[in-house]
Amino acid sequence: MGLRENAAAAAGRTLTEGEQAADETAPEQFAPAPDPMADYEPGDDDPEMVPVHVAWLRVRREIRAIAKGELYNQSGTRFNFRGVDTVVNVFGPVTLKHGVHVMPTEVTATYGEKTTKNGGKMRECSVLVTWTIMGPKGDTLTLQTMGEALDTADKSTTKAQSVALRTLLLSFGLTPTHDTDPDADRHERGADPIRPAVSYVDEVCDPRTSAGRLRQIHHELKTTRQLGALVTNEVGEEEPIGDLVVRLGKERAAGGGQ
C-alpha cells in the first residue's frame, strides 16, 4: 500500500481511478540519490579509488622533503626559506597523480595598516582559511590554517592566502627540509679562569663584607684548592687566605654580622 492509499484509508475513503494512476506513475519518494561513482572504472591514468587519508599518505611518500632553497636578503636580514611557488610546484603534480583536491572553502580576512620606517603606508592582511581536502572517492578532510602579509598596493589578501596554502601543505604534509639539525653541532664551553686568591683579600678585609659572604668565599677557595695560598692580611703579615677568612668570619659572626 502506497502513501496515497494510506492517507485515503486514514480519511475513511478509497482512491479514485485517477489518483491510483497518478500514484502508480509518481516517482518513488525518499529514494536514496544514486551514487555517481557507483559504475566508475578507473582508467590507466586515473588514481586508485582509495579513501582520502590513504591518498594523502601516498602524496607524502612521494614528496619526502622540500629544501629551503630560496634566499631572503634585504635590509640586513638574511635567511633561507621555502616559497609558496616552490611548494605548490612540488605538491601540484603529486596530488593530481593521486586524485587529491585541495580547495579553499571559506576565507575570513581582517585588515590593518602599518607604517614603514620611511613613513610609507602598507596594508596588512590576516586570513583564516578553511580547506577541504578531497580524495579520489569524494570523501573529504577539513583543515584550517592562517596567513599574514603586508603590501603597499592591493595584493596583501592574495599574499596572505598564499602563505596559508604553503602552511597547509608543509604542516599537513609534515614536509621536512633535510637540512642539518641546529642541535647537531655541539660546542663545549671552556673552563672559566680561576680567580686568584690574592684578588679576594680586599673583599675579605673590608668590614662591610658579611659573614655569609665570607663563607661563600671560603667555599670558592676550597673548590679551587687555594685555601693555603699566602696573602698579606689586614695588619701587613702573611697568612694563608683560608685562615684569614675563617678568623675574620668568626669575628664578624661574634659581632652580629650576617
Side-chain angles (χ1 to χ4, degrees):
M1 183 178 291
L3 292 176
R4 287 176 179 267
E5 293 174 322
N6 288 335
R13 67 183 186 86
T14 58
L15 294 178
T16 64
E17 292 183 1
E19 289 174 330
Q20 290 178 354
D23 193 44
E24 290 173 358
T25 58
E28 186 73 24
Q29 295 190 37
F30 306 112
D35 183 358
M37 305 296 293
D39 299 325
Y40 175 80
E41 293 292 338
D44 293 338
D45 296 329
D46 290 343
E48 184 180 352
M49 295 293 102
V50 297
V52 61
H53 65 280
V54 176
W56 186 258
L57 178 60
R58 293 178 178 180
V59 171
R60 290 183 54 204
R61 282 176 177 168
E62 285 202 30
I63 289 178
R64 299 288 184 178
I66 301 175
K68 293 182 179 180
E70 296 164 74
L71 175 65
Y72 179 92
N73 188 11
Q74 295 183 23
S75 304
T77 303
R78 179 186 176 95
F79 59 86
N80 293 93
F81 67 100
R82 298 180 284 189
V84 63
D85 288 338
T86 298
V87 174
V88 171
N89 286 343
V90 173
F91 269 90
V94 183
T95 53
L96 183 63
K97 174 182 175 181
H98 293 287
V100 175
H101 304 274
V102 179
M103 302 170 288
T105 49
E106 184 178 349
V107 179
T108 302
T110 57
Y111 297 94
E113 190 175 82
K114 297 292 184 181
T115 303
T116 67
K117 63 180 180 180
N118 297 323
K121 299 295 184 181
M122 299 190 75
R123 193 183 194 200
E124 180 183 43
C125 177
S126 299
V127 296
L128 173 64
V129 183
T130 301
W131 304 92
T132 297
I133 313 297
M134 180 180 291
K137 295 180 67 175
D139 54 337
T140 61
L141 298 171
T142 301
L143 300 168
Q144 286 186 325
T145 57
M146 297 189 70
E148 297 181 3
L150 291 167
D151 193 74
T152 56
D154 59 351
K155 298 187 174 53
S156 62
T157 305
T158 303
K159 288 181 177 179
Q161 291 184 73
S162 296
V163 172
L165 175 59
R166 181 186 62 188
T167 302
L168 170 78
L169 296 176
L170 294 179
S171 299
F172 186 40
L174 294 177
T175 311
T177 63
H178 281 182
D179 293 342
T180 302
D181 192 318
D183 293 330
D185 296 326
R186 184 168 180 267
H187 302 282
E188 295 288 347
R189 289 191 177 188
D192 293 334
I194 296 176
R195 181 179 175 180
V198 68
S199 68
Y200 287 96
V201 173
D202 288 342
E203 185 179 4
V204 170
C205 295
D206 189 336
R208 294 170 297 180
T209 302
S210 68
R213 172 57 182 156
L214 290 176
R215 286 193 294 271
Q216 182 181 1
I217 292 174
H218 189 275
H219 174 74
E220 294 173 9
L221 291 167
K222 181 179 179 181
T223 301
T224 56
R225 299 182 179 180
Q226 297 186 87
L227 289 175
L230 293 176
V231 296
T232 302
N233 61 22
E234 77 277 18
V235 294
E237 298 177 352
E238 282 194 341
E239 183 179 6
I241 191 168
D243 295 346
L244 174 64
V245 172
V246 170
R247 177 171 56 81
L248 294 180
K250 289 180 178 179
E251 292 175 3
R252 290 182 195 161
Q258 297 297 319

